[in-house]
Amino acid sequence: MSGAIAQSRRDDRTSFARWKRGLFALMALSVAFVLTACGAVLDTTLVINADGSGSRAITATVEADDLEKVKGGADAIDTAITENLPDGMTYGGQKAGSDGAAVFSFAIEFDSQKDYEDKVIGILGAGGVTDIETEIEIVVADSAFREGVSVNENFTSQDLLQWLVEAMVETGIVDDDDKDDLTEIGKTVVEIDGVGHDTSAKIEYTDIADYGIRDLNVTTEGVGTGSYVRTISYDLSRETYARDTDAYDEFFTKATPKDGTLTEPDEASTVWTIEFSAKDEEQLIEYTNTALNSELTDFAVSSETDGDDPTMFHTSVIDFIDCGQICNEDAEVTSNLILPKGWQGDNGGSAGEDGWSMPISHDPVVFDHRVQFESVLAAASAAPSGENTLTIDYVLSVENADLVGSAMQDFLEPASTVADLSIDAGKDAVTYTITVTGEDAADLNARLSEYLPGSQYSVVESDSSLFTKSYSVSMVVALPRDLLSGGVAEGITYRVDLPGGASVADSSDLPKGAKVAGNVIAVSEDSPSSPEFHVDASSPNVGGIITLGVIVLIVLLLVAAVVVLVIRQKKKAAAAGANSGLFSYDGGQAGPDAYVAGASSPDAASPVSPQQGEAPAGGLPTQTAVIDDSAMQDAPHGADQSLPMSDSVTERIPEADSDSPTEVLPPRPPLPPTE
């Protein structure tokens, strides 16, 4: 046992000796650290005021021993400061410290977080500190959502005074080998309401009571159009809301931008929603700041065309939102963009059910996409015979047309004579029209399939009658999908125009959603899908109708001719009956016993009229008019009746044409008496 005890004592002595050697080594290391850790000690006080303004005060204390290592001492340091002081920082001069030390003071005054950030970035740049991406977050909360102060930074006061170290080396007052030992961190304090709180050299201080939004989601529509609709959803627990309902109600009312819509949660929800429209990016930022009680919202969209393919666009989007004033510290904040079809991001975010999930950052996300069209119309003018035509109208906004330039014309220009391209530049839009014309349906099909591979067109006549033609129209237009992958704002319309008066049969097989309006069949879609039209139709047979019309016209003309002839014969017969009592055609021989119509004279011979074309002895053919002289016989006594005259007076007048109606002369008035 004594041996064991002795061995134990030897082990204890050995262990004690090892402990002493370790202690001496540690003391030596500590002394070495103290000796090498010389330089100016930097003490920092960051003051944050209730309005977010503040100041950062830095004092650099250089002990007397360290001053001896500086060529020129404190005065040389003072000169280096005054000659190299960067913008944004002020110098308070030097003063004597204890035991021969020198104290130099600096300050950064700021009136907002952004002002502070801008000044810090400039000061770090002056010292060549380029490996730090400056991050500053200052939250001064005094609302229903949050109460207290939070400050976070990713740099130190050593970084902020690196410009002085570089200046001392460049002026030669210290050696370059010593520049890493010229400063060391002292005490760092955040001061709120006059009370200091110790923190790390990279300031991280939080003293906030959260009563804020636990989840916030922002959804933005309209990227690529220039105007926007933004919806912001705020998830606020019922317990938190009940804490101060009046304050929360007031916030949401004030947070709703002009013409925006506020929707309160129903009994089964805890989500408040504000939706608003913005005419441009500037207004979107303004309204979002209002809705989030912030000043830090950022949103920007810019586009450029691809160098190798001018119809391809690269659009950059910056989407930064800040809800530090109203959200819990651990709130989940998301932002989604509702993008046109075909847009694909390649350097940030991801596609999701609610759109493209954007990183909350000032860095842009780039989306590749084709140019967006305003509208596209493919319309066929179908006919069972003769010329058939297909036109395609691609409509771009003036802005997009300017961006694309002549590349769109180059892309659409037919490679041969199968189609024609025309361009109509309007005030708000530019229309590119492709026209494919065939002598008949088969010719149009050949031309169309060459210009747009995969397209088909036919018109097949099935039955005809004198009045109608029945036929079937089949059409598939394979529009270029790559060209339209950027989206079409008002959709793509496919249309078949039948001849006027045509009707569509129920047996037609039309695309889903197609509408029939008289002789027009149309369907609209969001993207090119090459819908198939199989239209059974009938149209008036124009040729048959014209033939029938000619026949009817001929019949009517014949009937009219017969009617005219009948009327003429009736007029002749009527004229002959009327003239029989006044005129006697006797070859120019008239006498007292001439035959008078209405008197029966069996012994009288029928007067012989001269034949047409014969002339009486006197020359031209004549008519003899027998005039009733009864009026003269009844003249009153005393009147001069000495004029020799026969019982009847015969006057010879030119003979009328045989086709002319017979003229009936009235009785001759008595001759006036002779004095």
Side-chain angles (χ1 to χ4, degrees), residues 74-110:
D75 291 339
I77 297 175
D78 183 78
T79 300
I81 293 173
T82 55
E83 291 181 354
N84 295 277
L85 185 70
D87 293 338
M89 178 177 281
T90 59
Y91 175 47
Q94 65 162 311
K95 64 178 182 179
S98 60
D99 300 328
V103 180
F104 305 88
S105 60
F106 308 87
I108 303 172
E109 305 282 345
F110 55 89

Side-chain angles (χ1 to χ4, degrees), residues 286-297:
E286 176 189 350
Y287 286 178
T288 304
N289 279 335
T290 298
L292 300 179
N293 191 26
S294 174
E295 296 180 354
L296 302 178
T297 302

Side-chain angles (χ1 to χ4, degrees), residues 317-348:
V317 181
I318 296 174
D319 185 20
F320 180 81
I321 54 177
D322 165 59
C323 69
Q325 297 294 326
I326 63 172
C327 289
N328 284 342
E329 185 177 358
D330 57 352
E332 181 179 358
V333 181
T334 57
S335 180
N336 298 288
L337 299 182
I338 306 300
L339 300 172
K341 289 185 177 181
W343 286 44
Q344 183 67 37
D346 61 1
N347 67 327

